[in-house]
């Protein structure tokens, strides 16, 4: 089984600013035919922009308890390729049975975001090696998460200041050390 999703995910915590959310969505949706799914409540706003997919390769799941989305690629033998049971439903079912330990059953490059509605709890899961990037920043009391930096810096509150140490690392080693980016 192989699930390949190339998408752009975003999440805002404690952000009531509609303009910053729209700025992020505009920065991430540069392709016209990409589909958008999103969820909003009083505390969180999350969503994904995705290339049109077949229904059985669903990248979004929502029920009364949980919202789940994925960005990336999962290679696993734990799933049957069954069009009647969407992949995200299987991932959520595995989470409900095993908790976050279900991620040990997965191989690939991915980010999975789970929003537990009743608990008001956000869970972000990344592949073992962290091959699929996910960026975040905290500005005052809000948190912005995006699969691309431009989704964060499009927000008027995020400071767009160059990290000189990252630039030096890049020109010295041809990559950036630690968990840093070109932006502070």
């Amino acid at each position: 089984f192989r699930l390949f999703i190339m998408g752009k995910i975003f999440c805002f915590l404690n952000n009531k600013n509609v303009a910053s959310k729209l700025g992020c969505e505009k920065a991430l949706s540069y392709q016209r035919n990409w589909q958008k799914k999103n969820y909003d409540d009083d505390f969180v706003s999350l969503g994904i922009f995705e290339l049109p997919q077949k229904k059985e390769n669903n990248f979004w799941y929502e029920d009364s308890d949980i919202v789940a989305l994925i960005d990336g690629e999962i290679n696993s033998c734990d799933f049957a390729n069954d069009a009647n049971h969407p992949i995200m439903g299987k991932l959520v079912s595995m989470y409900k049975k095993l908790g976050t330990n279900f991620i040990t059953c997965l191989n690939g490059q991915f980010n999975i975001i789970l929003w537990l509605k009743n608990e008001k709890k956000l869970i972000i899961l990344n592949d073992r090696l962290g091959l699929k990037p996910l960026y975040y920043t905290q500005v005052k009391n809000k948190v912005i998460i995006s699969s691309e930096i431009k989704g964060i810096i499009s927000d008027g509150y995020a400071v767009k200041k160059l990290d000189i140490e990252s630039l030096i690392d890049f020109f010295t080693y041809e990559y950036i050390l630690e968990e840093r980016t070109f932006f502070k």
Side-chain angles (χ1 to χ4, degrees), residues 84-152:
N84 296 324
H85 298 91
I87 302 308
M88 286 305 297
K90 291 178 185 178
L91 290 176
V92 169
S93 176
M94 288 175 68
Y95 167 74
K96 288 179 178 179
K97 288 179 189 171
L98 303 172
T100 55
N101 289 333
F102 86 94
I103 197 166
T104 60
C105 303
L106 306 176
N107 292 313
Q109 304 177 45
F110 55 85
N111 289 308
I112 298 173
I113 295 181
L114 304 170
W115 172 247
L116 309 179
K117 295 178 183 180
N118 298 333
E119 298 175 46
K120 299 219 178 291
K121 181 177 180 182
L122 183 72
I123 299 172
I124 300 173
L125 303 164
N126 191 266
D127 61 83
R128 288 168 217 184
L129 299 176
L131 297 172
K132 192 75 174 165
L134 191 64
Y135 304 96
Y136 68 93
T137 190
Q138 182 173 354
V139 181
K140 297 184 182 176
N141 65 342
K142 71 178 182 175
V143 176
I144 306 168
I145 302 166
S146 178
S147 57
E148 294 186 11
I149 290 178
K150 67 183 177 179
I152 293 174

Side-chain angles (χ1 to χ4, degrees), residues 43-97:
F43 186 70
V44 69
S45 175
L46 59 96
I48 187 166
F49 284 97
E50 191 55 63
L51 286 169
Q53 299 284 326
K54 296 179 181 177
K55 187 175 182 179
E56 62 268 17
N57 288 345
N58 198 344
F59 52 86
W60 178 272
Y61 179 90
E62 181 177 355
D63 66 18
S64 60
D65 299 329
I66 193 167
V67 178
L69 56 101
I70 186 170
D71 174 29
E73 179 179 348
I74 294 179
N75 299 309
S76 178
C77 59
D78 295 335
F79 299 123
N81 195 5
D82 182 358
N84 296 324
H85 298 91
I87 302 308
M88 286 305 297
K90 291 178 185 178
L91 290 176
V92 169
S93 176
M94 288 175 68
Y95 167 74
K96 288 179 178 179
K97 288 179 189 171

Side-chain angles (χ1 to χ4, degrees), residues 161-170 180-182 184:
K161 187 173 181 181
L162 183 65
D163 183 353
I164 299 297
E165 289 181 35
S166 294
L167 191 62
I168 292 168
D169 287 349
F170 180 76
R180 297 191 336 238
T181 69
F182 287 118
K184 284 193 175 192

Side-chain angles (χ1 to χ4, degrees), residues 10 12-27 45 142-144 150-158:
F10 60 90
F12 292 88
L13 299 173
N14 283 337
N15 185 19
K16 305 281 187 213
N17 187 338
V18 175
S20 64
K21 181 183 166 201
L22 293 175
C24 175
E25 289 180 5
K26 184 177 179 184
S45 175
K142 71 178 182 175
V143 176
I144 306 168
K150 67 183 177 179
I152 293 174
I153 62 174
S154 66
D155 180 291
Y157 297 104

